[in-house]
């Protein structure tokens, strides 16, 4: 019986933790916090980035299309104005 | 009677259509060419990008509000005789519909020829066409929609061109 008690005492006796135990615990705890803070999976973040890029690209393309349309309108009006100007000058000359 | 009504309706429908500007064969001969076709929705889209603070752009923005479409064909050539009378006639023929009338025209040896046609529907101007030719240039302008001729004439006071004061009076002939 004494031998069994001695073995139990030895097995349950306090042992000093290994070197760096506190650091390992702190690291594990902070890693766990990070997972809780950013639960979004990577594929969702990639999808969001793709959508943002798509929307941004779409807006830039729309802006470009608008600028092209504007330039065409201005050029069309410029040509019309030049022709009208010539015609009006001739009509004016004819009336004098 | 029904046939006559049909013909009248068909003629009205035909004259409301955009001009068929089949002038692609001139593009290959031209040293410079401009081919612009803009429908109403493109014009309204473009209007959003016109700056109201810029005098030229503000004028154009106001002008295109009622316009349904613009078609411009402009060809410049390095030598005479690249376009034919048939090319001009193909445009002129389409401007002989019931709604179209020739408003003004001139012939000049130095500046070439030009004609302005207007399309009126219910006594309102619904289109303007310009055919301007010289030995080395061929231009067709077709603007369809509700057009303020005064504003159109006012364009001569923009784009860096001097305003012709008497021109507006003459354009109301």
């Amino acid at each position: 019986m004494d031998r069994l008690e001695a073995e139990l005492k030895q097995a349950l006796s306090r042992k000093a933790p290994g070197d760096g135990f506190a650091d390992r615990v702190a690291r594990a705890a902070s890693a766990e916090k990070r997972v809780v803070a950013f639960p979004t999976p990577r594929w969702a973040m990639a999808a969001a980035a793709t959508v943002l890029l798509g929307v941004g690209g779409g807006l830039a393309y729309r802006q470009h299309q608008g600028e092209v349309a504007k330039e065409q309108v201005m050029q069309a009006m410029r040509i019309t104005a030049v022709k009208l100007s010539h015609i009006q000058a001739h009509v004016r000359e004819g009336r004098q | 009677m029904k046939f006559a009504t049909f013909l009248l309706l068909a003629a009205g429908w035909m004259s409301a259509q955009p001009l068929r500007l089949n002038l692609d064969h001139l593009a290959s001969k031209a040293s410079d060419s401009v081919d612009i076709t803009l429908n109403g929705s493109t014009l309204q889209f473009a209007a959003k990008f016109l700056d109201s603070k810029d005098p030229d752009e503000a004028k154009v923005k106001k002008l295109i509000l009622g316009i349904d479409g613009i078609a411009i064909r402009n060809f410049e050539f390095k030598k005479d005789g690249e376009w034919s009378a048939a090319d001009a006639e193909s445009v002129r023929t389409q401007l002989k519909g019931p709604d179209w009338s020739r408003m003004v025209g001139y012939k000049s040896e130095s500046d070439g020829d030009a004609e302005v046609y207007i399309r009126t529907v219910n006594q309102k101007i619904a289109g303007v066409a310009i055919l301007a030719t010289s030995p080395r240039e061929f231009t067709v302008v077709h603007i369809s929609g509700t057009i303020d001729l005064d504003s159109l004439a006012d364009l001569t006071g923009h784009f860096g061109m001097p305003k012709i004061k008497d021109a507006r009076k003459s354009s109301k002939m």
Side-chain angles (χ1 to χ4, degrees):
Chain A
M1 194 63 181
D2 287 343
R3 200 174 67 104
L4 181 64
E5 274 183 12
E7 280 178 358
L8 275 170
K9 273 183 183 176
Q10 192 184 357
L12 298 174
S13 65
R14 292 183 67 175
K15 288 179 183 174
D19 288 340
F21 175 76
D23 288 343
R24 286 201 301 278
V25 171
R27 263 203 307 275
S30 67
E32 200 172 339
K33 273 183 192 169
R34 242 185 279 133
V35 170
V36 172
F38 301 99
T40 315
R42 284 183 180 177
W43 66 263
M45 291 172 73
T50 307
V51 168
L52 277 175
L53 278 174
V55 170
L59 285 173
Y61 181 69
R62 190 172 166 78
Q63 176 77 21
H64 171 71
Q65 291 289 89
E67 292 294 335
V68 169
K70 172 187 148 179
E71 277 311 307
Q72 287 191 322
V73 169
M74 292 303 287
Q75 192 180 10
M77 287 301 166
R78 216 170 281 128
I79 291 170
T80 305
V82 167
K83 295 303 164 194
L84 275 179
S85 174
H86 278 142
I87 293 164
Q88 288 176 335
H90 273 271
V91 171
R92 190 182 174 205
E93 278 172 19
R95 298 172 94 217
Q96 284 175 349
Chain B
M1 182 67 183
K2 280 181 182 176
F3 184 67
T5 308
F6 169 77
L7 279 183
L8 275 173
L9 287 172
W13 181 80
M14 287 291 283
S15 60
Q17 297 305 300
L19 297 184
R20 293 181 305 280
L21 303 174
N22 301 321
L23 302 166
D24 291 348
H25 59 285
L26 295 180
S28 57
K29 300 176 189 175
S31 55
D32 285 301
S33 66
V34 176
D35 182 336
I36 297 173
T37 304
L38 300 166
N39 60 23
S41 58
T42 310
L43 286 168
Q44 300 322 314
F45 177 54
K48 293 175 186 170
F49 292 84
L50 290 166
D51 184 2
S52 300
K53 291 174 186 168
D54 181 286
D56 285 356
E57 294 187 20
K59 191 80 192 170
V60 170
K61 191 172 188 172
K62 189 181 168 192
L63 187 65
I64 64 175
L65 280 177
I67 294 178
D68 297 330
I70 299 177
I72 306 272
R73 301 289 184 275
N74 172 250
F75 305 99
E76 288 180 23
F77 308 98
K78 282 188 175 170
K79 56 181 184 178
D80 295 3
E82 294 286 17
W83 61 270
S84 68
D87 295 321
E89 199 54 36
S90 72
V91 177
R92 216 174 272 125
T93 304
Q94 297 176 65
L95 300 171
K96 288 177 180 169
D99 295 341
W100 286 100
S101 58
R102 191 172 182 271
M103 187 171 75
V104 67
Y106 72 79
K107 283 179 181 289
S108 161
E109 281 187 15
S110 57
D111 265 1
D113 306 342
E115 295 160 76
V116 179
Y117 294 82
I118 58 166
R119 181 173 169 258
T120 47
V121 176
N122 298 327
Q123 295 182 326
K124 285 183 180 175
I125 293 169
V128 174
I130 301 169
L131 174 61
T133 57
S134 69
R136 295 190 182 188
E137 191 178 349
F138 189 99
T139 305
V140 184
V141 174
H142 178 215
I143 299 174
S144 59
T146 308
I147 299 162
D148 179 1
L149 267 191
D150 283 345
S151 297
L152 198 60
D154 270 349
L155 283 178
T156 54
H158 291 258
F159 301 119
M161 287 185 293
K163 188 171 173 62
I164 303 165
K165 287 180 182 174
D166 287 352
R168 197 185 298 179
K169 290 175 189 168
S170 63
S171 72
K172 285 183 174 175
M173 289 188 304

